[in-house]
Amino acid sequence: MQKQGVICRLVISLFYLVVFLVLCKIFSGSWQFLLDSDNSYNMLFVSGALLLIFGTYLAEPYFTKPLDVLTNSTAIVLALLSIREPQKFVGYHFLLVVSIGILFLSISIIILHALNKKSSIEQALFLLVTKFGSSKIAFSAVYLCTIFSYLKKAPVDFVFFLTFWIIFISNFFTEWIVSLVMSIYQRFQVREQYEYIGDAIGCENPFLYKIEIDFSIYKGGRVRKGDIILFSETSLEGIVGLVVDVKYLVKKQWLSVYILHQQEKCLKISSSLKNCSYTSDIHHISKKTYRLNLSELSKIQQKEIENNELYKKRNLFVGYVIEGSDINQIKFLPILDERDNNYAKLREGTIVTAEICGQETLFQIIEGKTSKEVLESHNISGFIVGIARKLGKYDNLSRQIDTVKWLPNMYAPLFLREDRVKTEKIAELKKVIGFLPETDIKIEIKDVDSLVTHNTAILGILGIGKSCLTFELIKKVIDNTGIKVVCIDITNEYQAELPRYIEKDIIQCDTMSSFHELAASAEYISANNNINKCGNIELYKTEIKEDLLQFLFSSSTCPEEWSPNSQKRIRIYNPDLHKITKGDKVGYKVFTTQLTQTEKVRIICEELYKILMKFSATTKGRVLLVFEEAHSLIPEWNSTANPADSSAVNGTAKIILQGRKYGLGSFVITQRTANISKSILNQCNTIFSLRVFDDTGKMFLENYIGSDYANLLPTLEERHAIAVGKALKLRLPVMIRLNNRENIISKK
């Protein structure tokens, strides 16, 4: 069929050439114009016939290469330089300069390609040069300038040659002539005009066929993934398929071919160049299969194939849905080998898509298993079965993943959802907390208030990025709400790092002198051994209350309505800097002992809660409590050092439970889920889980994210987390790629 295409183009070229020669002979009056370089019709013949016609139909029938552009521009430059009176030629200097420029650009592209220097600049130059340097564009410019230069005083000649160019460019008669020539040619040809490769030996489903190629019979080139196949009857009317998998046996090749279909109907073409349709009748498909060359089909057939969804996404095709799938997750068979570029992209967290009732639905790969199948006697092939959790349909406007009911059809094709990951600006990440892995699908905070009022937990091992995520979430709370933030940090990390995310002026920190005046009364013991009057704990409660009032309202008293100041937004406490004591009775004597971290935390929380109780209930957040290293501040009962700590943790937990109705919420950050109070952790509606190793943490998170995602926790990559909760635009747990720290910190 390739030979037929060449013959047709040659016939059309000769047809146009004869027509053009006859026109030049009629208007010039003789054939002398062919030998006279000064004759205006000689210039027309060179640019219109030898260059424009042959270049368009023979040299560049489908696409233009930089080498073709080099040849075209050189020919134009030489033709222009041969003109003896350039001042009479319209646009002479413009054409000459542009042609020389395109000539040097084409040389540059050829050199860059030889050096394998691929860049966006090279791609842009390639498109520019091949577009404007093609035969149809470049020689048309010379042709039009010629008729405007030499025939403007001869209206009849001018109109005829301009009309010829319009007909040629618009291909007005070309399609009709090609169809006529091909139909006549086919009547004298043997029906086996396509390349026979082998027979279909099996049908796994209505759209997936197995083809066996016997190399002892078939001597052609090996069929590769992405080739177009025709399942044909003797009339060569048949169904079009796409090769999606290739396996090699001894002296044989097995192909998996996926039928191109649309709405359960298969794409059918016939030997007639313009006959193309979709049909549901494939029950009597022939065993004979042929390889098609897309360029040899008619434009109608080419367009129909190229518009097919499977063909358009053929480079992203990774497999198809198999048995064992349900409405929550699918099992799929990857059709890839290790040499395929997409093979390395199939891993935990990868996003793939399949259609459910006509809707493109997102799935996230969560697991893979190996298996095997017997091909023939003593031939066993191993393969991998992937498992992907259904996420839903992504809405670009709301940036939310909406639920999609039901599940994909059996053997539905599966594609990678791959986007170019762009570097985002801080302004574009105002509410965005991350992306689906290897995509530009943004995951946003749906309700910043819910981060606070319904509590948030950030879990993960040491050094995995919990603090960076916490700072980013605090920044989003500050930027999007009027909520005040109280951080309890025993690491002093917040004082050093938060100013990189948030304006330093709105942060108030503890110092070595904070509550220093209480140190003088730390060793006080009541003369009558009254345990309640020993130490400085009561003074500490008073000082904490006054400090909170100043932070919240810049006043020593509560206003009647909630009206916080905007001077300071964040208050960072380090309980280890507070020298606070209490009375402790041993026998008949009373001694002063230091308050533990958990006891100081309880006092801070209780005094804050007492202040908030003076205001009316609300559904909006007012104050956020951040517990950094929460396993030390609010430990589980079996991780406390003494009964006093257990009592303190219970008091803090009670405040967290009751504080929501007054706008009080918390962030709980810990690396040891087993050692943190479950009474508090269970109140966290939004969860960000980074890499976790301990079984207790995995077992706890199974209640939130399910066992399949919990099994991924030990293998999570850096800056990846499994997220779920009311505050996010997610209805189900999902693995996300967190924002890069460099894109979040303030650039000053």
Side-chain angles (χ1 to χ4, degrees):
M1 195 168 182
Q2 184 176 1
K3 294 179 180 179
Q4 297 174 13
V6 174
I7 293 172
C8 288
R9 293 195 299 272
L10 182 59
V11 169
I12 299 304
S13 301
L14 293 175
F15 170 80
Y16 277 120
L17 181 60
V18 170
V19 172
F20 197 86
L21 281 171
V22 171
L23 289 175
C24 290
K25 165 64 172 60
I26 293 173
F27 289 106
S28 65
S30 68
W31 295 102
Q32 292 299 320
F33 73 92
L34 291 171
L35 304 175
D36 186 5
S37 60
D38 293 333
N39 193 303
S40 58
Y41 293 99
N42 182 276
M43 187 67 176
L44 277 176
F45 176 75
V46 172
S47 65
L50 297 181
L51 299 181
L52 182 58
I53 296 174
F54 285 169
T56 302
Y57 277 97
L58 298 181
E60 304 166 32
Y62 304 115
F63 56 89
T64 302
K65 303 187 294 294
L67 188 60
D68 298 327
V69 176
L70 176 62
T71 304
N72 295 343
S73 55
T74 302
I76 293 174
V77 170
L78 293 177
L80 292 174
L81 292 176
S82 66
I83 298 176
R84 297 184 180 180
E85 297 181 13
Q87 66 276 8
K88 295 182 179 181
F89 192 89
V90 175
Y92 176 88
H93 294 95
F94 175 79
L95 282 177
L96 184 61
V97 171
V98 171
S99 299
I100 293 173
I102 292 178
L103 173 64
F104 282 105
L105 285 177
S106 61
I107 294 174
S108 302
I109 292 173
I110 293 172
I111 294 173
L112 289 174
H113 182 74
L115 297 175
N116 199 23
K117 300 289 185 179
K118 295 183 178 180
S119 65
S120 57
I121 297 177
E122 182 197 354
Q123 294 175 358
L125 289 175
F126 178 88
L127 293 175
L128 179 67
V129 168
T130 54
K131 183 67 176 177
F132 292 99
S134 64
S135 296
K136 185 171 287 189
I137 299 297
F139 295 138
S140 288
V142 177
Y143 180 89
L144 292 175
C145 289
T146 303
I147 63 175
F148 275 100
S149 300
Y150 301 126
L151 303 181
K152 58 185 176 181
K153 295 182 179 180
V156 177
D157 300 25
F158 180 89
V159 170
F160 266 86
F161 283 100
L162 181 61
T163 303
F164 176 87
W165 176 81
I166 294 174
I167 293 174
F168 177 86
I169 290 299
S170 63
N171 292 327
F172 186 75
F173 293 115
T174 305
E175 281 294 321
W176 177 81
I177 294 172
V178 170
S179 299
L180 178 62
V181 171
M182 285 298 296
S183 61
I184 295 173
Y185 182 79
Q186 287 174 1
R187 292 184 181 276
F188 298 95
Q189 294 297 309
V190 180
R191 299 305 293 176
E192 295 291 336
Q193 57 183 295
Y194 300 121
E195 184 183 10
Y196 170 77
I197 58 173
D199 294 338
I201 60 173
C203 175
E204 296 186 13
N205 71 88
F207 305 112
L208 186 65
Y209 284 79
K210 291 284 188 181
I211 297 175
E212 182 182 71
I213 301 177
D214 189 342
F215 291 118
S216 62
I217 300 174
Y218 173 65
K219 301 299 183 180
R222 295 205 170 190
V223 181
R224 303 181 184 279
K225 182 178 177 181
D227 285 351
I228 300 295
I229 301 298
L230 180 71
F231 295 90
S232 176
E233 299 291 347
T234 57
S235 63
L236 293 184
E237 291 185 344
I239 306 298
V240 181
L242 181 73
V243 177
V244 295
D245 186 29
V246 178
K247 292 179 180 176
Y248 294 95
L249 301 175
V250 179
K251 295 184 179 181
K252 290 183 180 179
Q253 186 180 32
W254 278 19
L255 310 177
S256 290
V257 178
Y258 215 95
I259 300 297
L260 301 185
H261 64 281
Q262 177 178 305
Q263 297 178 352
E264 304 301 319
K265 292 186 177 182
C266 302
L267 179 61
K268 182 178 181 180
I269 66 172
S270 70
S271 56
S272 173
L273 287 179
K274 293 190 176 182
N275 193 354
C276 190
S277 63
Y278 279 92
T279 178
S280 57
D281 182 19
I282 59 172
H283 300 292
H284 304 290
I285 193 168
S286 171
K287 289 185 177 181
K288 288 192 174 184
T289 58
Y290 302 82
R291 179 157 57 177
L292 297 182
N293 189 332
L294 190 62
S295 63
E296 295 174 352
L297 300 177
S298 71
K299 290 186 177 180
I300 293 177
Q301 291 176 333
Q302 289 181 32
K303 185 176 181 181
E304 199 68 53
I305 293 175
E306 291 170 351
N307 288 339
N308 185 272
E309 197 68 19
L310 177 58
Y311 185 82
K312 286 194 294 186
K313 294 183 178 180
R314 64 192 182 279
N315 293 328
L316 298 176
F317 180 87
V318 293
Y320 55 88
V321 179
I322 62 174
E323 67 276 3
S325 303
D326 57 41
I327 59 175
N328 295 317
Q329 63 184 26
I330 60 169
K331 291 184 178 181
F332 67 94
L333 186 66
I335 306 297
L336 298 171
D337 57 40
E338 295 182 358
R339 295 170 296 179
D340 197 305
N341 292 331
N342 290 331
Y343 182 82
K345 299 175 183 177
L346 288 185
R347 53 188 175 183
E348 303 96 314
T350 297
I351 303 299
V352 293
T353 66
E355 278 198 0
I356 298 179
C357 301
Q359 298 186 79
E360 184 185 63
T361 305
L362 303 178
F363 293 82
Q364 187 165 54
I365 297 177
I366 56 174
E367 192 175 355
K369 296 181 179 180
T370 58
S371 188
K372 65 181 180 179
E373 65 176 342
V374 178
L375 300 177
E376 284 186 349
S377 299
H378 310 295
N379 284 285
I380 297 177
S381 176
F383 61 94
I384 295 175
V385 174
I387 300 175
R389 171 72 74 88
K390 182 174 70 175
L391 302 182
K393 177 180 174 63
Y394 184 70
D395 189 329
N396 291 310
L397 295 178
S398 64
R399 292 182 178 176
Q400 180 169 308
I401 300 178
D402 297 325
T403 301
V404 176
K405 304 294 184 181
W406 207 229
L407 72 162
N409 292 330
M410 185 80 156
Y411 301 107
L414 210 64
F415 305 96
L416 278 176
R417 172 62 188 258
E418 186 181 30
D419 303 285
R420 181 175 294 178
V421 180
K422 299 177 290 187
T423 301
E424 304 288 343
K425 299 178 181 178
I426 294 178
E428 296 173 342
L429 299 175
K430 187 174 183 181
K431 286 190 176 182
V432 175
I433 195 62
F435 301 79
L436 292 184
E438 301 301 324
T439 74
D440 62 358
I441 297 179
K442 298 179 176 65
I443 303 299
E444 285 192 345
I445 303 296
K446 181 180 180 180
D447 183 6
V448 179
D449 277 289
S450 293
L451 275 176
V452 178
T453 59
H454 289 72
N455 306 308
T456 298
I458 302 170
L459 314 174
I461 62 173
L462 180 67
I464 200 64
K466 299 188 303 298
S467 296
C468 292
L469 176 57
T470 304
F471 298 151
E472 182 180 350
L473 290 174
I474 293 175
K475 175 179 174 61
K476 295 188 187 310
V477 170
I478 295 296
D479 292 344
N480 294 283
T481 70
I483 294 174
K484 293 272 193 171
V485 181
V486 175
C487 302
I488 303 177
D489 172 35
I490 57 176
T491 65
N492 285 329
E493 183 181 9
Y494 282 47
Q495 182 176 352
E497 290 296 323
L498 259 182
R500 304 189 67 181
Y501 295 78
I502 301 167
E503 291 296 329
K504 185 177 181 180
D505 294 340
I506 65 172
I507 301 174
Q508 180 182 346
C509 305
D510 268 353
T511 63
M512 295 300 295
S513 61
S514 296
F515 305 102
H516 185 67
E517 63 275 8
L518 297 178
S521 58
E523 302 298 330
Y524 173 78
I525 301 177
S526 174
N528 58 2
N529 284 341
N530 187 339
I531 192 171
N532 295 323
K533 293 184 178 180
C534 292
N536 58 1
I537 184 171
E538 295 301 325
L539 290 174
Y540 181 60
K541 292 179 180 179
T542 301
E543 291 293 329
I544 286 292
K545 177 182 178 180
E546 292 181 358
D547 186 80
L548 287 170
L549 287 172
Q550 287 294 329
F551 167 63
L552 295 173
F553 311 110
S554 299
S555 172
S556 57
T557 59
C558 286
E560 294 183 2
E561 299 291 336
W562 176 260
S563 55
N565 64 49
S566 57
Q567 298 173 358
K568 299 292 183 181
R569 297 289 304 279
I570 300 175
R571 178 67 172 97
I572 302 175
Y573 290 108
N574 184 349
D576 287 344
L577 300 179
H578 306 167
K579 190 176 182 181
I580 310 302
T581 59
K582 65 177 180 178
D584 194 9
K585 194 170 185 180
V586 179
Y588 293 100
K589 292 187 177 181
V590 174
F591 298 91
T592 56
T593 58
Q594 292 282 342
L595 263 68
T596 63
Q597 293 173 340
T598 57
E599 290 176 307
K600 296 174 188 177
V601 168
R602 176 181 181 176
I603 291 174
I604 295 172
C605 295
E606 284 181 341
E607 294 304 320
L608 178 60
Y609 181 63
K610 290 175 184 178
I611 294 173
L612 293 177
M613 284 180 64
K614 296 181 180 181
F615 301 98
S616 60
T618 180
T619 58
K620 295 291 185 180
R622 286 174 175 167
V623 179
L624 167 63
L625 271 169
V626 180
F627 298 99
E628 178 63 41
E629 302 291 345
H631 50 277
S632 297
L633 303 178
I634 44 176
E636 182 64 298
W637 64 271
N638 57 1
S639 299
T640 55
N642 53 64
D645 279 355
S646 296
S647 177
V649 172
N650 290 335
T652 303
K654 184 178 179 180
I655 291 169
I656 298 300
L657 290 170
Q658 298 177 348
R660 176 191 166 195
K661 61 183 177 182
Y662 297 108
L664 177 64
S666 64
F667 282 2
V668 178
I669 302 97
T670 183
Q671 55 187 279
R672 286 289 298 169
T673 310
N675 297 344
I676 191 173
S677 170
K678 300 304 182 294
S679 297
I680 295 177
L681 197 57
N682 283 327
Q683 299 306 309
C684 295
N685 187 283
T686 302
I687 301 286
F688 291 95
S689 180
L690 290 83
R691 189 184 304 158
V692 172
F693 290 130
D694 64 293
D695 289 337
T696 305
K698 289 172 59 179
M699 291 174 62
F700 170 79
L701 288 167
E702 281 185 9
N703 300 322
Y704 288 90
I705 63 178
S707 59
D708 45 9
Y709 273 113
N711 290 333
L712 297 179
L713 292 173
T715 60
L716 282 180
E717 299 180 54
E718 299 289 335
R719 302 300 299 157
H720 282 69
I722 296 174
V724 65
K726 179 181 177 64
L728 301 173
K729 289 189 174 182
L730 297 170
R731 302 183 186 274
L732 295 169
V734 63
M735 182 195 297
I736 64 173
R737 172 179 57 85
L738 299 172
N739 294 327
N740 291 326
R741 179 172 176 267
E742 292 74 16
N743 297 334
I744 301 302
I745 58 176
S746 300
K747 305 294 190 298
K748 298 178 182 179

